[in-house]
Amino acid sequence: MKRTLVRYRNSAFRAFIRRHQKYAPILFFIGGVIFDTLTLGRIDRTYDLVMLCLHMTNLSITLYLYNLADDGKWTDTFLDRYVEYLPLAIQFFFGALSSAYVIYFSRSVSLSKTVAFFVMLLALLIANEFLKKRISNKYLQFGVYFFLSFTFFTFMIPVFLAEMSTKVFLISGFISLGCTLTLIVIIYTRSPSTRAEVHLGKLLGLIVGIYGLINSFYFFKLIPPVPLALDTGIVAHNIRTENGNYFVQYERDDSFVFWRDHRTEFIYRPGENVYIFSSIFAPTSLEKSIVHRWKLYNESLGEWELVEDIDYEITGGRDDGFRGYTYKNNVKQGQWKVEVITTDDELVLGVINFNIIVDSSLEASRLIEKKF
């Protein structure tokens, strides 16, 4: 046994970690990001659910082990040989969980309404990498943990309950807050080094502050309405359905516009219809009423004016999203946008922007028809 332990302590992996101690945390963080980027797909898939639950559980356990390690709790135990890897494991789980959330959030066609939430996520992650003490700073450590925990439960609980509402969001937040405070209190009571380093009131105030900030983001509609996501949003010239398929005719944009397939300059002839097609991902069994909110920009007033709300129901489970469309005719020339939102709490899934040009002498070119 002693010989095995000596061989382990002199292993190439341990030598590599010690040799690159300065860069090891960021490498493990990036490793977590890459792992989830390559393996995760949709939030209601069994594999995704299991992996996210394992990430969150393992992160909680690792934080507990790491914070008690400074007190010598694991000396002369089998955990003693792994103590120096605990902060690297924390970084891996931070990277895996944060990248998973970015993957699910970024499924939406438009993030213009929710960019503040991403700024908050990125600020926490950048602070985690560049703060002087990095992961050893317990305020930062538990702040990031709570943020990821809150996001975890706002993903999971709607999926398991097949319901998405303000009540479910508040329940998710309370559960996350309770779990985080429980972990902090357990570590604080069992770790003298933590009590010496951390002022409990200050730490709890930080957690409650983050809790209040996330809730304010929600009520100001600055958080993406996960697990719903707008996969596709197109302004089209014609839509027909056949054998359960949607055939959408739209004008293709220039080839150098790689981030978008359809053209946003819409050539309109009087008497025609302007169609908005959307494909919305929703977890299996989750039902929700969706609204296409048509708006026209009033140049004289300098503001967007509501033209009409048209709603329809969706049911989750389809890999490529629940498809639907609305249309209008006798429209005016100008800047338009259609906000795809939830009916009850008006959370924005995405925004489809386009400019209508009324000119009977012009004709749409590069028209294509795509099956959805």
Side-chain angles (χ1 to χ4, degrees):
M1 178 67 182
K2 184 176 181 180
R3 186 177 302 170
T4 302
L5 184 58
V6 170
R7 189 184 309 119
Y8 173 80
R9 286 176 175 170
N10 295 325
S11 68
F13 180 72
R14 179 182 288 261
F16 175 83
I17 293 298
R18 289 180 174 176
R19 199 165 50 244
H20 302 281
Q21 190 173 10
K22 181 179 180 181
Y23 304 104
I26 185 63
L27 290 176
F28 273 75
F29 180 87
I30 293 174
V33 171
I34 294 174
F35 178 82
D36 275 4
T37 301
L38 296 177
T39 59
L40 296 185
R42 47 180 292 167
I43 186 61
D44 61 343
R45 191 176 61 167
T46 301
Y47 173 84
D48 290 47
L49 293 173
V50 170
M51 289 308 301
L52 288 181
C53 288
L54 286 176
H55 288 334
M56 200 69 232
T57 302
N58 289 333
L59 175 59
S60 303
I61 294 172
T62 307
L63 278 175
Y64 172 80
L65 297 176
Y66 174 70
N67 281 281
L68 269 64
D70 289 340
D71 304 299
K73 295 288 186 181
W74 318 125
T75 303
D76 298 326
T77 70
F78 81 97
L79 289 173
D80 188 29
R81 69 188 71 172
Y82 303 111
V83 165
E84 67 179 291
Y85 298 119
L86 293 178
L88 303 180
I90 292 172
Q91 292 284 21
F92 177 86
F93 294 128
F94 276 177
L97 286 167
S98 61
S99 65
Y101 303 152
V102 170
I103 289 169
Y104 298 132
F105 284 141
S106 61
R107 292 191 67 166
S108 180
V109 166
S110 173
L111 299 175
S112 59
K113 290 283 188 178
T114 57
V115 67
F117 186 80
F118 279 90
V119 171
M120 183 176 178
L121 175 60
L122 291 174
L124 285 171
L125 298 179
I126 291 172
N128 176 49
E129 288 307 316
F130 292 100
L131 198 70
K132 185 176 181 180
K133 284 183 148 184
R134 293 186 180 176
I135 196 62
S136 63
N137 183 292
K138 297 185 188 297
Y139 294 102
L140 175 65
Q141 179 187 129
F142 287 110
V144 175
Y145 173 82
F146 175 62
F147 182 82
L148 295 177
S149 171
F150 199 132
T151 312
F152 169 81
F153 283 107
T154 57
F155 271 103
M156 287 299 173
I157 292 180
V159 172
F160 287 125
L161 295 182
E163 180 183 346
M164 183 181 169
S165 64
T166 299
K167 179 181 71 174
V168 171
F169 179 85
L170 293 175
I171 290 173
S172 304
F174 276 123
I175 293 175
S176 174
L177 183 63
C179 291
T180 302
L181 295 181
T182 299
L183 179 62
I184 290 174
V185 170
I186 290 174
I187 292 175
Y188 189 83
T189 56
R190 297 187 181 184
S191 171
S193 64
T194 299
R195 292 196 295 271
E197 181 181 341
V198 170
H199 185 280
L200 185 59
K202 183 179 177 181
L203 178 56
L204 296 182
L206 173 65
I207 299 302
V208 173
I210 296 174
Y211 173 79
L213 183 61
I214 296 176
N215 276 279
S216 66
F217 274 28
Y218 177 84
F219 287 106
F220 281 104
K221 302 178 178 62
L222 297 176
I223 295 181
V226 292
L228 294 179
L230 181 61
D231 277 342
T232 305
I234 296 176
V235 55
H237 287 269
N238 188 46
I239 297 177
R240 62 185 178 88
T241 59
E242 183 179 321
N243 298 325
N245 295 312
Y246 286 69
F247 293 87
V248 181
Q249 185 184 67
Y250 60 93
E251 189 174 2
R252 187 177 55 199
D253 211 330
D254 296 317
S255 58
F256 60 82
V257 185
F258 60 89
W259 60 90
R260 184 182 61 241
D261 186 28
H262 68 281
R263 188 179 182 212
T264 58
E265 298 292 323
F266 189 93
I267 307 300
Y268 177 76
R269 289 189 172 187
E272 291 182 339
N273 293 330
V274 179
Y275 295 85
I276 292 294
F277 172 81
S278 62
S279 176
I280 299 169
F281 168 80
T284 304
S285 302
L286 192 150
E287 297 183 0
K288 198 72 174 174
S289 182
I290 299 298
V291 170
H292 279 182
R293 175 163 290 174
W294 292 70
K295 288 185 175 182
L296 173 64
Y297 187 73
N298 188 318
E299 294 186 356
S300 60
L301 297 177
E303 61 183 30
W304 290 96
E305 292 183 343
L306 175 63
V307 176
E308 187 177 4
D309 281 349
I310 308 175
D311 64 330
Y312 57 95
E313 299 292 325
I314 70 169
T315 301
R318 186 174 181 270
D319 282 338
D320 295 325
F322 183 91
R323 300 153 300 171
Y325 69 92
T326 60
Y327 66 91
K328 291 191 66 62
N329 50 32
N330 296 321
V331 296
K332 298 179 180 178
Q333 180 165 302
Q335 296 182 54
W336 287 75
K337 69 177 179 179
V338 173
E339 297 175 344
V340 184
I341 62 177
T342 58
T343 302
D344 45 7
D345 37 19
E346 296 194 352
L347 295 175
V348 179
L349 279 72
V351 181
I352 305 166
N353 295 284
F354 54 100
N355 185 37
I356 291 182
I357 301 173
V358 181
D359 191 336
S360 57
S361 66
L362 297 177
E363 186 174 347
S365 59
R366 298 196 301 272
L367 285 175
I368 63 171
E369 186 175 77
K370 186 174 180 179
K371 183 176 73 173
F372 290 89

